[in-house]
Amino acid sequence: MRLVPRDEWRTVLAALHASGLVYLDLLTAVERDAGLEVVARVVRPGSAAAEVIVAALPADDLRIDSAVPVYPGAAWHERETAEMFGIEFTGHPDPRPLLLRTGLGAPPLRKGTVLAARVVQPWPGEFEPSRPDRAGSPSRRRARPLGVLDGWPDEGGRP
Amino acid sequence: MKWVTSPPASAYRLAGDLGVRVVVANLGLACCSMEVEAAVARGLLVPDDGQDPESTVLLVSGTVTDALAPAVLSARDHLDGEVVVVSFGACASTGGPYWDAPTVTKGIDQLLPVAGYVPGCPPRPEALVAGLLDVLRDRP
Amino acid sequence: MTVRGVIALIPDACTSCMLCVRECPTWCISLQAHPEQVVDEGARRPRTVNVLDAFAIDFGLCMYCGICVDVCPFDALEWAPDHDYGAATRAGLVQPMERLAAWLAPP
Ligand code: SF4
Ligand code: SF4
Ligand code: SF4
């Protein structure tokens, strides 16, 4: 795995392509505390040669150059990564959403995106048998189920 | 193993003399459909012979997304006569494992009336036969 | 090992610890219980136990992952051999404690 500055993303990809790693195996993103990382894996067909490169994007500027001019096969990966994580791939020739209809709100694979069903639906785990009258008391070890952020919806918050 | 995959739905009959003549149109949308194929492979379902059935079942087996919902309704409209809808598996019944997904329909009963539910993720082939018999024997 | 049967409950073994309810990924288990004081002979203070009032699994949502069976520290949940929980209504897929326990009753 090699961390590359995001401004050099396409240059590095072009160099990898020129070195024979001409097949784009994977392009996706990972959410970290400080922001997001875009990950790409390129391989040399017919051999075990492969390289994984990662570029970090700060949370307030989720833009990176599209890899499509170098690897046309990145087009669908980038469309999916864009709609799932809210990343903008600048220079993508066809940036329509790939899988999601529009109007769904926040990018679904971001940790800060709350799944409405998990908030609307009462969590059965809130019930506390030793104190049946004090269900959901905030002092409980796990007053909230997995997947619902602390303090949501009142305070927003991080997972 | 024999694959019968003629879109939008493959048609089967219940094997053996179980007291019902039914044609089952399997609308296979996800993994649950594999269990319908397993029922075929085990001889519990046989390919439709084209004779007039007493009942027609639309078996919705798999995950229905909101984007796909119109196709489910259209599959029902493509079947002749009265159609008994059976929901096969957790996804079709409630959304199942995807109950919290913003894109998945939380049960096909939000789209059309459902006569019977077969729970499971996926249900076993025997559960399919038992569920079909339950639904059909209770009908007038 | 699962044979993809349904899940059975042994009510006497269940301590209402809530672990299964809280770990279930589809939130399909619900439980009602209340605390009671039990006075043991010779003990200086009564101890508190949770008495199970109701326990239900919604098999419309259950994904048969077995997490509840695995996490139960008291082996109160088990795979039952059969599958037959089909229902004519959505509400009929919710199986109450009596039905979950019936798998284990002697024939
Ligand atoms: S209920 Fe389970 S097996 Fe059936 S389609 Fe949904 S996820 Fe797949
Ligand atoms: S098997 Fe899984 S989904 Fe079903 S009740 Fe247990 S934990 Fe919940
Ligand atoms: S984990 Fe076991 S003991 Fe605890 S509430 Fe569930 S069934 Fe009862």
Side-chain angles (χ1 to χ4, degrees), chain B residues 35 89-91 93-100 109 114-128 130-131 134-135 138, chain C residues 2-6 24-28 58-65 80-93 95:
Chain B
E35 294 299 310
C91 279
S93 302
T94 65
Y98 312 108
W99 68 277
D100 55 3
D109 48 12
V114 174
Y117 299 82
V118 182
C121 181
R124 291 200 305 211
E126 301 92 317
L128 168 61
D134 277 354
V135 167
D138 289 349
Chain C
T2 162
V3 287
R4 282 196 287 133
V6 291
C24 172
T26 61
W27 300 7
C28 71
D58 183 347
F59 283 97
L61 276 163
C62 174
M63 59 156 121
Y64 295 73
C65 62
D82 216 335
H83 53 77
D84 200 12
Y85 273 168
T89 61
R90 170 70 185 87
L93 294 172
Q95 300 297 347

Side-chain angles (χ1 to χ4, degrees), chain B residues 5-138:
Chain B
T5 49
S6 52
S10 4
Y12 303 107
R13 300 211 170 222
L14 273 177
D17 186 14
L18 296 171
V20 290
R21 281 192 300 120
V22 57
V23 61
V24 179
N26 174 33
L27 191 60
L29 301 172
C31 13
C32 270
S33 191
M34 293 293 116
E35 294 299 310
V36 179
E37 302 287 355
V40 177
R42 284 186 34 192
L44 299 173
L45 291 179
V46 291
D48 179 31
D49 55 11
Q51 290 182 20
D52 262 358
E54 277 168 358
S55 324
T56 304
V57 167
L58 178 67
L59 187 74
V60 182
S61 56
T63 321
V64 179
T65 58
D66 292 345
L68 206 62
V72 174
L73 292 171
S74 127
R76 193 260 320 263
D77 296 341
H78 274 85
L79 293 167
D80 280 344
E82 195 204 356
V83 177
V84 181
V85 179
V86 172
S87 166
F88 187 67
C91 279
S93 302
T94 65
Y98 312 108
W99 68 277
D100 55 3
T103 48
V104 172
T105 308
K106 315 289 181 270
I108 55 165
D109 48 12
Q110 297 186 354
L111 307 172
L112 28 77
V114 174
Y117 299 82
V118 182
C121 181
R124 291 200 305 211
E126 301 92 317
L128 168 61
V129 175
L132 288 172
L133 291 177
D134 277 354
V135 167
L136 298 169
R137 285 190 176 140
D138 289 349

Side-chain angles (χ1 to χ4, degrees), chain A residues 100-113:
Chain A
L100 298 178
R101 290 156 301 135
T102 49
L104 280 174
L109 290 191
R110 290 286 291 280
K111 290 177 184 168
T113 303

